[in-house]
Amino acid sequence: MNEDVKDLNLSVVKAFTLLDAFTMDKQEWGVRELAIKKGYNKSTTYRLLNTLESLGVLQKNDNDKYLLGLKLFELGNLVAIHKTLRKYSRTPLENIAREIKETVHFGVLDKNQVLYLNKTESPQGLKVSTQIGSYQKAYCTAIGKVLLAFLPEQKIAEYLKVVSLDACTENTITNPETLQKELQKIRAQEYALDMEELELGLICIAMPVYNNRGEVIASISVSGPSSRFKLENIESYISIIKKGAQAIEANMH
Amino acid sequence: MNEDVKDLNLSVVKAFTLLDAFTMDKQEWGVRELAIKKGYNKSTTYRLLNTLESLGVLQKNDNDKYLLGLKLFELGNLVAIHKTLRKYSRTPLENIAREIKETVHFGVLDKNQVLYLNKTESPQGLKVSTQIGSYQKAYCTAIGKVLLAFLPEQKIAEYLKVVSLDACTENTITNPETLQKELQKIRAQEYALDMEELELGLICIAMPVYNNRGEVIASISVSGPSSRFKLENIESYISIIKKGAQAIEANMH
DNA sequence: AAACAGTGTTTCATATAATGAAACGTTTTA
DNA sequence: TAAAACGTTTCATTATATGAAACACTGTTT
């Protein structure tokens, strides 16, 4: 059941493995520390970083540390996959954020995870913020649960077989049967809640976005701190999000 | 005066050279055609593409052609350079676009060229559209001329020494002295016009964005077809763009 | 001022891994 | 049915990526 043993170009694999070390939490790397982190030889790492720099894939900052470079910005903006979804979700997300005054996210399911395609941040100081292009566990996010809920039954079973439902907080649904019931509820009510299941203090509500064949292709969520996010507002949130979802659907057709 | 002869990892260089073939105009590539295009051996190209696919840097579409993959979307969104400018320009650009109803661009100078960091497209059917992350000649765009105009004198001289002012249209300024005078005028009036200098039928107006030390760090432009873009509207455009520029400046501080 | 940890960088012999021509499948076109 | 595309695999050859060690540079400590 393993991947075919392809003969990959190891230098290229290493280069991208190095790039994967650059995250929001750690944006800068020196030669030595990155070599240690990845278990590569110092010289090899030096030469790879040097090569990537000469290509504009990395660049050095004032402290001679490496940063992700503008070549990646350029290439990232050329990615065609989900481009129309990203483009047509922008304005509707902004409208939702303006009305609700909380952060709005937009994502799809990719490799059993939520892939965030777009967001508009809350104008408020205390706010949730997710990195566009990043991935998150599906089973403990509102967006993810919506996207799972509207998957074909067989795909859900497959998901539950492959993914282990590790607890992120005490509220995370870690039992497959409980999750199945939750997904059923979500299908019925057409929205999902995340009641601090991913992170304590963080509440989200998400709703589906359909294509013209009635299939769910994406999901919109609104996220806020539990201190502000009152359940009595849900009905109003739902109608605002629904309006946004319909705007995206209209744009796509 | 040449670069030091660095010893680069040739596989990595080749991999990114292949990636550079993926553009807006040509988003899909097969093994053979890309090998021919880049002058690489068929087998080598096959293995590199295969490697990039296994890393998520490329992916195959339904026709078994390669497309830029989501790994690049992920990495592109992690690029920290100019991130705050991109973030804080978004809403102001939208407001300008809403008022003027033409496409609004936002860019900086990078390696003697305009790098587009953000845009909001005109709601109208006939519109200009530039790829975010792409580069354009500075001397024949309104944004570029603004950014050049506010460069230190010495840098302008350097630019004129390095860059050859090739004509894009019959209106392109191809004479260095003429361009110097144009830049002087731009400094005085605090805006630049592109009167079909890059492309026939395309008119733009651009204004500077300052940092808190009074240096020009970016520029906003409004672009439209010459059929709609009337010079008598310039005064009104200027005040709207100026308001947007000030909004970005306020956001940045 | 000297020794000492930190860095990044270069060297060079060695082994590994990338290479390409050719042969092989597979699909599409004539 | 043949032919012409294409992607894929093979294998001997060659090139190049590799890593230990030495080197250079910087800032800190003694």
Side-chain angles (χ1 to χ4, degrees):
Chain A
M1 272 298 156
N2 218 329
E3 284 275 304
D4 331 26
V5 184
K6 295 177 181 170
D7 75 301
L8 304 177
N9 184 305
L10 298 182
S11 296
V12 174
V13 172
K14 272 181 206 156
F16 277 95
T17 307
L18 291 181
L19 291 179
D20 272 334
F22 293 80
T23 62
M24 278 305 280
D25 298 331
K26 181 100 175 85
Q27 306 189 346
E28 303 183 347
W29 287 93
V31 174
R32 259 183 155 85
E33 54 171 347
L34 189 48
I36 291 165
K37 158 88 179 182
K38 291 295 179 181
Y40 296 159
N41 183 282
K42 200 159 44 93
S43 304
T44 302
T45 306
Y46 168 74
R47 281 182 290 240
L48 285 171
L49 291 177
N50 206 12
T51 302
L52 291 169
E53 187 199 4
S54 82
L55 293 164
V57 175
L58 292 175
Q59 69 181 63
K60 280 185 183 166
N61 70 3
D62 305 329
N63 313 320
D64 268 323
K65 300 281 180 195
Y66 288 96
L67 290 175
L68 294 182
L70 289 169
K71 172 57 80 181
L72 289 172
F73 179 60
E74 190 179 350
L75 287 168
N77 277 292
L78 279 167
V79 174
I81 302 156
H82 294 136
K83 196 161 205 172
T84 47
L85 271 178
R86 280 183 270 146
K87 179 173 176 181
Y88 291 130
S89 58
R90 184 166 157 172
T91 310
L93 294 196
E94 276 158 7
N95 291 334
I96 295 170
R98 194 174 302 118
E99 290 200 60
I100 301 187
K101 302 218 180 335
E102 296 290 0
T103 297
V104 184
H105 285 116
F106 181 72
V108 295
L109 209 58
D110 183 62
K111 300 171 207 119
N112 282 333
Q113 291 193 296
V114 174
L115 166 62
Y116 292 103
L117 292 182
N118 225 333
K119 69 169 173 183
T120 299
E121 290 190 359
S122 162
Q124 311 203 52
L126 175 65
K127 67 187 159 201
V128 191
S129 184
T130 303
Q131 180 65 15
I132 305 291
S134 74
Y135 289 84
Q136 187 53 273
K137 300 182 185 77
Y139 64 91
C140 53
T141 57
I143 284 194
K145 290 196 289 180
V146 162
L147 294 168
L148 288 176
F150 289 94
L151 240 36
E153 205 177 323
Q154 184 202 335
K155 292 266 181 189
I156 298 178
E158 220 173 285
Y159 175 85
L160 290 172
K161 201 178 291 172
V162 174
V163 176
S164 91
L165 307 179
D166 301 324
C168 299
T169 74
E170 60 222 42
N171 293 343
T172 308
I173 300 173
T174 55
N175 181 296
E177 285 86 47
T178 316
L179 185 57
Q180 280 277 22
K181 278 194 196 119
E182 168 83 353
L183 297 182
Q184 198 174 336
K185 188 174 154 197
I186 291 165
R187 275 192 295 276
Q189 65 192 15
E190 273 207 296
Y191 70 85
L193 288 176
D194 160 9
M195 300 302 290
E196 313 192 42
E197 293 158 42
L198 173 66
E199 200 180 316
L200 286 178
L202 175 62
I203 291 181
C204 310
I205 176 170
M207 297 186 71
V209 176
Y210 297 88
N211 67 10
N212 51 15
R213 286 186 305 223
E215 298 153 345
V216 171
I217 49 168
S219 174
I220 305 171
S221 78
V222 171
S223 314
S226 50
S227 51
R228 276 203 305 257
F229 215 97
K230 297 300 170 206
L231 287 181
E232 54 259 39
N233 295 329
I234 280 190
E235 284 306 319
S236 111
Y237 286 1
I238 286 175
S239 79
I240 293 167
I241 297 170
K242 181 78 191 167
K243 208 173 56 187
Q246 286 167 341
I248 295 172
E249 288 157 9
N251 285 343
M252 296 290 293
H253 296 169
Chain B
M1 273 296 159
N2 217 329
E3 284 276 302
D4 332 27
V5 184
K6 295 176 182 170
D7 75 303
L8 305 176
N9 184 303
L10 298 184
S11 296
V12 174
V13 172
K14 271 181 208 156
F16 277 95
T17 307
L18 291 181
L19 291 179
D20 272 335
F22 293 80
T23 61
M24 277 304 279
D25 297 330
K26 181 100 175 88
Q27 304 190 348
E28 303 183 346
W29 286 93
V31 174
R32 256 182 157 88
E33 54 172 347
L34 189 48
I36 291 166
K37 159 88 179 183
K38 291 295 179 182
Y40 295 160
N41 184 283
K42 200 161 44 99
S43 305
T44 303
T45 306
Y46 167 75
R47 281 181 290 241
L48 286 171
L49 292 178
N50 205 12
T51 302
L52 290 169
E53 187 199 2
S54 83
L55 293 164
V57 175
L58 292 176
Q59 68 181 65
K60 280 186 183 164
N61 70 4
D62 306 327
N63 313 320
D64 268 322
K65 299 282 180 193
Y66 289 96
L67 290 176
L68 295 182
L70 289 168
K71 171 57 82 182
L72 289 171
F73 179 60
E74 189 180 353
L75 287 168
N77 277 291
L78 280 168
V79 174
I81 302 156
H82 295 137
K83 196 162 205 171
T84 46
L85 271 178
R86 279 183 271 147
K87 179 175 177 180
Y88 291 130
S89 59
R90 183 166 158 173
T91 310
L93 293 198
E94 276 159 7
N95 291 334
I96 295 170
R98 194 174 303 115
E99 289 200 62
I100 301 187
K101 304 219 179 332
E102 295 290 358
T103 297
V104 185
H105 286 115
F106 181 73
V108 296
L109 210 58
D110 183 62
K111 302 171 207 120
N112 283 332
Q113 290 193 295
V114 174
L115 166 61
Y116 293 103
L117 292 182
N118 226 331
K119 68 168 173 184
T120 299
E121 289 190 0
S122 161
Q124 311 203 51
L126 176 63
K127 67 188 160 201
V128 191
S129 183
T130 303
Q131 180 64 13
I132 306 293
S134 74
Y135 288 84
Q136 187 54 273
K137 300 182 186 77
Y139 65 90
C140 53
T141 57
I143 285 194
K145 289 195 289 180
V146 162
L147 293 169
L148 287 175
F150 290 95
L151 240 37
E153 203 177 323
Q154 185 202 333
K155 293 266 180 189
I156 297 179
E158 220 174 285
Y159 175 86
L160 289 172
K161 202 178 291 171
V162 173
V163 175
S164 92
L165 306 179
D166 300 323
C168 298
T169 74
E170 61 223 43
N171 294 343
T172 309
I173 300 174
T174 55
N175 181 297
E177 286 86 48
T178 317
L179 186 56
Q180 281 277 22
K181 277 192 195 121
E182 169 83 353
L183 297 182
Q184 198 174 337
K185 188 174 154 199
I186 291 166
R187 277 191 294 276
Q189 64 192 16
E190 273 206 296
Y191 70 85
L193 288 176
D194 161 9
M195 301 302 291
E196 315 191 43
E197 293 159 42
L198 173 66
E199 200 181 317
L200 286 179
L202 175 62
I203 292 181
C204 311
I205 176 170
M207 297 186 72
V209 175
Y210 298 88
N211 67 8
N212 51 15
R213 286 185 305 225
E215 299 154 346
V216 171
I217 50 167
S219 174
I220 304 171
S221 78
V222 170
S223 314
S226 51
S227 51
R228 276 203 303 259
F229 215 97
K230 297 300 170 206
L231 289 180
E232 53 260 37
N233 296 329
I234 280 190
E235 285 306 319
S236 111
Y237 287 1
I238 286 175
S239 78
I240 293 168
I241 298 170
K242 181 79 191 167
K243 208 173 55 186
Q246 287 168 340
I248 295 173
E249 288 157 10
N251 284 342
M252 296 289 294
H253 295 170

